[in-house]
């Protein structure tokens, strides 16, 4: 018998579904994008769940709908109304075009699809019911214009995929994130998201970027942003970014980039955004960026991956430069440093960028320029460092058999110079060293009564919709790290206990960073706890560009030498570099 076989249609459909439908959020993405392509003005997304997982997904729109025959044909593999020939792939303007989504979803769930064509003279709508790819019914029913699709029992016939689904809060947070991204790219459409019948958020289709940002992230967050606008021939850039001096993050989770209305991921564009900030962006920190980029569809290849999140640009370097220039020009105007966000950003064009005033296109001036340094300002960092060092001196350090290098001085307020018993030169990254010390102590205290300290006055914190959805699933892990949070209202939680090392008790920035670390990817409980502890340690320790006294540096080295892994920080970066006499001789060509 032949060993090579042609797969049957059912197996092929399950393989295709595995590429398109990863989780419930994938289903929501495909269905909502179809509604956007259908010229909808209002899109309602409903999610229902119980303890076993997400049980029902519904998407209803007032778009153009379909007639009776197309309603059934839409569930055929590679059936689409958006392209008809190979040449159409060279200039795609719709979010969907592959004709795979509905067929893939129907192959692994129970679908009820109801649609009526806009402006139809017929009184009836069409209803198609499909279970696991098998047609159950195709009938005429009464329904308004538009389309409604209900997905139930997702993955019921694909147990391999079902067992890899996460808890309801985690899956729900992915759904929120997906809807938020599509809403930000389609501000002329009103989106309503409901969970178990209760409204979680709504946008109003005003077309205003600030309105949608405020609806998704809160009005206070939208006030920290400044507008960006640029026109470079056929390339248009529009959006909002974090104002210098506002809250920044240590990860790139708040980049919301769209090209021709499609949310995409692009490391190159993320790099361009950070380069646009230049020295206004603290090292290791990332801003929030909401950018729309409009360019010729023929310059964009969206046919790269079934999820359509990855795209290729034929003029990528040019677009990167335009993004960088638009952000740079927007930030280097005087009004950026005021509290007003009502004044629109100056529109940047290819012609005006070379004629901008010198104070805009010149080198950015450090934020501290012109400030008179006083004895009080010089002493403030030393006092803060003293508090941070004391937090890691709570454990008894061994008095014998512990050699501590002799401190020689500090370079750039970041690196400690010392020498060991052999006279070798040692360079220590003070932040990485203190992070190792703090992490080891946090790990030793985790899951014990010593992990946290109760706040005298609990602190309220407003979370994003994604954080609110995921938090119930993370409460036990956060408690192990010393953070106790309780629900207090819609998207508001009360922080009752924080880690014993928290430099700012109940600081919302720290709590957001902790949650961000917990949500960063998947993993076991221990892996999530490890990420949380690393973040807590990083936020609580001595930073780079911080002056230390000789005595403080000596204490820091003593604490480092007492750890089990003194040569790397928790993230794997080196804490110490040793320049031996032999190595120095080689560097100076003396060997």
């Amino acid at each position: 018998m032949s060993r090579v076989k042609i797969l049957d249609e059912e197996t092929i459909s399950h393989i295709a579904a595995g590429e398109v439908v990863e989780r419930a959020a994938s289903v929501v993405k495909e269905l909502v994008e179809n509604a956007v392509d259908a010229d909808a003005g209002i899109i309602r997304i409903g999610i229902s769940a119980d303890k076993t997982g997400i049980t029902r997904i519904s998407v209803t729109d007032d778009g153009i709908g379909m007639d009776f025959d197309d309603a059934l044909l839409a569930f055929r593999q590679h059936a689409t109304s958006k392209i008809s020939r190979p040449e159409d792939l060279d200039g795609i303007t719709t979010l969907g075009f592959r004709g795979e989504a509905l067929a893939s979803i129907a192959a692994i769930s129970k679908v009820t699809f109801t649609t009526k064509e806009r402006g139809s003279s017929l009184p009836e709508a069409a209803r198609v019911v499909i279970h696991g790819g098998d047609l159950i019914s195709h009938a005429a029913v009464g329904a308004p214009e538009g389309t409604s699709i209900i997905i139930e029992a997702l993955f019921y016939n694909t147990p391999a995929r079902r067992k890899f689904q996460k808890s309801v809060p985690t899956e729900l947070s992915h759904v929120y994130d997906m809807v938020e991204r599509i809403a930000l790219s389609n501000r002329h459409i009103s989106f309503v998201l409901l969970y178990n019948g209760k409204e979680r958020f709504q946008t109003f289709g005003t077309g205003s970027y600030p309105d949608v940002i405020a609806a998704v992230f809160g009005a206070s967050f939208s006030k920290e942003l400044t507008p960006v606008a640029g026109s470079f021939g056929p390339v248009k850039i529009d959006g909002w970014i974090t104002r210098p001096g506002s809250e920044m993050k240590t990860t790139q989770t708040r980049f919301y980039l769209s090209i021709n209305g499609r949310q995409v991921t692009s490391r190159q564009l993320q790099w361009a955004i950070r380069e646009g900030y230049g020295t206004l962006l603290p090292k290791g920190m990332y801003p929030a960026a909401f950018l729309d980029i409009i360019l010729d569809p023929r310059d964009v290849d969206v046919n790269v991956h079934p999820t359509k999140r990855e795209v290729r640009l034929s003029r990528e370097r040019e677009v990167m430069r335009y993004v960088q220039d638009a952000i740079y020009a927007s930030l280097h105007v005087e009004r950026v440093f005021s509290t007003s966000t009502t004044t629109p950003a100056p529109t940047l064009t290819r012609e005006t960028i070379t004629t901008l005033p010198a104070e805009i296109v010149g080198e950015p001036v450090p934020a501290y320029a012109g400030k008179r340094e006083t004895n009080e300002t010089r002493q403030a960092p030393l006092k803060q460092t003293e508090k941070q060092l004391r937090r890691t001196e709570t454990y008894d350090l061994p008095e014998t058999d512990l050699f501590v290098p002799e401190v020689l001085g500090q370079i750039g307020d970041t690196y400690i110079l010392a020498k060991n018993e052999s006279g070798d030169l040692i360079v220590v990254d003070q932040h990485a060293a203190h992070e190792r010390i703090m992490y080891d102590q946090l790990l030793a205290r985790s899951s014990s009564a010593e992990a946290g300290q109760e706040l005298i006055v609990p602190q309220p914190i407003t979370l994003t919709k994604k954080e609110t959805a995921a938090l119930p699933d993370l409460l036990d892990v956060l408690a192990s790290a010393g953070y106790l949070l309780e629900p207090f209202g819609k998207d508001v939680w009360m922080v009752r206990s924080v880690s014993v090392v928290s430099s700012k008790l109940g600081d919302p920035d720290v709590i957001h960073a902790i949650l961000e670390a917990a949500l960063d990817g998947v993993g076991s409980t221990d892996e999530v706890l490890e990420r949380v502890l690393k973040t807590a340690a990083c936020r609580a320790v001595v930073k780079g560009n911080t002056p230390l006294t000789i005595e403080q540096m000596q204490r820091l080295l003593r604490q480092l030498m007492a750890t089990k892994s003194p040569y790397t920080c928790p993230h794997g970066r080196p804490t110490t570099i040793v320049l031996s006499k032999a190595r120095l001789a080689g560097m100076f060509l003396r060997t």
Side-chain angles (χ1 to χ4, degrees), residues 79-348:
T80 178
S81 62
K82 297 161 188 178
I83 62 172
S84 58
R85 55 183 182 172
E87 291 79 6
D88 295 340
L89 292 172
D90 295 333
I92 293 173
T93 57
T94 56
L95 297 180
F97 61 91
R98 290 174 173 268
E100 293 180 322
L102 289 181
S104 297
I105 294 169
I108 55 174
S109 66
K110 298 179 180 179
V111 178
T112 302
F113 182 76
T114 306
T115 183
K116 182 179 181 182
E117 192 171 16
R118 182 186 293 169
S120 173
S121 59
L122 299 176
E124 302 91 358
R127 174 166 294 168
V128 177
V129 179
I130 297 177
H131 291 179
D134 295 328
L135 178 64
I136 303 301
S137 66
H138 179 207
V141 296
E145 294 179 355
T147 298
S148 172
I149 183 166
I150 299 171
I151 309 298
E152 297 174 297
L154 184 63
F155 303 123
Y156 81 100
N157 56 353
T158 52
R161 179 56 58 90
R162 187 173 66 248
K163 71 180 181 181
F164 284 103
Q165 299 305 294
K166 303 302 177 182
S167 65
V168 171
T170 299
E171 294 298 332
L172 191 60
S173 71
H174 286 283
V175 171
Y176 282 4
D177 181 66
M178 189 62 66
V179 177
E180 290 167 1
R181 289 182 179 277
I182 298 176
L184 286 163
S185 297
N186 298 275
R187 299 175 295 281
H188 61 288
I189 300 175
S190 173
F191 290 85
V192 182
L193 176 61
L194 301 99
Y195 174 60
N196 283 344
K198 296 182 179 180
E199 183 180 307
R200 299 307 300 164
F201 83 81
Q202 178 178 6
T203 66
F204 298 96
T206 63
S208 165
Y209 232 140
D211 286 353
V212 180
I213 293 173
V216 173
F217 298 99
S220 60
F221 174 75
S222 65
K223 294 177 181 179
E224 299 180 356
L225 305 176
T226 190
V228 176
S231 178
F232 306 86
V235 180
K236 309 289 190 248
I237 298 171
D238 176 56
W240 292 74
I241 56 175
T242 305
R243 181 185 294 106
S246 300
E247 177 194 354
M248 300 287 180
K249 296 287 187 180
T250 56
T251 61
Q252 306 178 52
T253 56
R254 296 194 304 179
F255 283 111
Y256 296 84
L257 310 177
S258 75
I259 295 179
N260 294 343
R262 182 190 306 279
Q263 279 286 323
V264 299
T265 56
S266 171
R267 291 185 179 181
Q268 291 78 11
L269 293 180
Q270 291 173 356
W271 177 88
I273 291 170
R274 298 193 73 228
E275 286 297 301
Y277 275 82
T279 56
L280 294 176
L281 190 65
K283 185 177 181 181
M285 304 300 287
Y286 296 88
F290 305 86
L291 290 185
D292 283 350
I293 302 171
I294 305 298
L295 66 162
D296 191 330
R298 292 171 296 183
D299 292 332
V300 186
D301 182 6
V302 300
N303 192 25
V304 177
H305 190 272
T307 63
K308 301 182 289 292
R309 284 292 301 275
E310 299 177 17
V311 298
R312 292 195 182 100
L313 304 179
S314 62
R315 302 165 58 194
E316 185 173 71
R317 289 187 178 274
E318 290 182 47
V319 175
M320 289 171 60
R321 186 172 73 251
Y322 296 156
V323 169
Q324 181 178 343
D325 291 343
I327 289 176
Y328 186 87
S330 176
L331 292 176
H332 289 78
V333 290
E334 184 176 356
R335 61 155 198 85
V336 160
F337 300 97
S338 70
T339 57
S340 173
T341 60
T342 58
T343 305
T347 300
L348 187 66

Side-chain angles (χ1 to χ4, degrees), residues 6-58:
I6 298 177
L7 296 176
D8 59 79
E9 289 297 326
E10 182 179 4
T11 305
I12 292 173
S13 64
H14 279 218
I15 293 173
E19 293 180 336
V20 176
V21 185
E22 180 184 2
R23 59 197 334 152
S26 306
V27 174
V28 173
K29 173 183 180 294
E30 298 295 343
L31 299 182
V32 173
E33 286 185 347
N34 279 346
V36 172
D37 286 340
D39 192 33
I42 301 175
I43 301 175
R44 295 174 63 87
I45 304 101
I47 307 294
S48 299
D50 56 24
K51 293 181 179 180
T52 64
I54 292 179
T55 57
R56 189 175 188 267
I57 298 170
S58 67

Side-chain angles (χ1 to χ4, degrees), residues 34 63 72 78 141 230-231 296 337 363 407 424 433 470 482 514 518 559:
N34 279 346
L72 183 60
H78 303 301
V141 296
S231 178
D296 191 330
F337 300 97
E363 287 299 317
V407 171
D424 299 327
I514 295 294
Q559 294 178 33

Side-chain angles (χ1 to χ4, degrees), residues 353-545:
I353 189 170
T354 58
T355 59
L356 289 172
E359 62 269 22
I360 294 180
V361 299
E363 287 299 317
V365 178
Y368 52 80
K371 293 183 180 179
R372 180 174 296 176
E373 186 180 29
T374 65
N375 184 59
E376 184 176 350
T377 59
R378 286 193 297 269
Q379 292 298 319
L382 297 178
K383 291 180 180 179
Q384 175 65 14
T385 299
E386 189 64 28
K387 294 179 181 178
Q388 292 167 326
L389 287 175
R390 286 178 180 174
R391 290 192 186 97
T392 47
E393 288 176 338
T394 55
Y395 282 79
D396 294 331
L397 299 177
E399 295 293 339
T400 59
D401 299 327
L402 180 65
F403 174 78
V404 181
E406 177 187 351
V407 171
L408 302 176
Q410 188 184 30
I411 296 178
D413 291 339
T414 300
Y415 303 102
I416 300 171
L417 289 184
K419 66 177 182 179
N420 62 14
E421 292 174 302
S422 303
D424 299 327
L425 182 64
I426 298 175
V427 185
V428 179
D429 183 326
Q430 62 194 38
H431 174 72
H434 203 199
E435 194 174 12
R436 163 53 65 186
I437 300 163
M438 184 70 77
Y439 174 77
D440 284 4
Q441 294 191 10
L442 284 176
L443 188 61
R445 290 168 168 161
S446 64
S447 303
S448 72
E450 298 180 349
Q453 54 184 331
E454 188 173 351
L455 299 179
I456 298 176
V457 179
Q459 298 292 316
I461 179 173
T462 301
L463 304 181
T464 66
K465 301 295 188 298
K466 180 180 178 181
E467 290 171 336
T468 299
L471 187 55
D473 201 39
L474 301 171
L475 290 176
D476 289 343
V477 174
L478 294 176
S480 296
Y483 294 91
L484 296 180
L485 288 82
E486 296 178 356
F488 190 67
K490 183 178 181 181
D491 299 329
V492 178
W493 288 69
M494 197 65 72
V495 182
R496 298 196 174 278
S497 173
V498 298
S499 168
V500 292
V501 302
S502 182
S503 57
K504 297 180 180 178
L505 301 183
D507 184 357
D509 288 354
V510 176
I511 303 298
H512 283 299
I514 295 294
L515 290 174
E516 197 170 288
L519 289 169
D520 185 19
V522 298
S524 65
T525 300
D526 289 341
E527 290 171 333
V528 175
L529 177 60
E530 181 182 359
R531 293 200 299 267
V532 168
L533 295 180
K534 287 178 181 178
T535 302
C538 183
R539 287 300 186 109
V541 299
V542 174
K543 302 294 189 293
N545 298 314

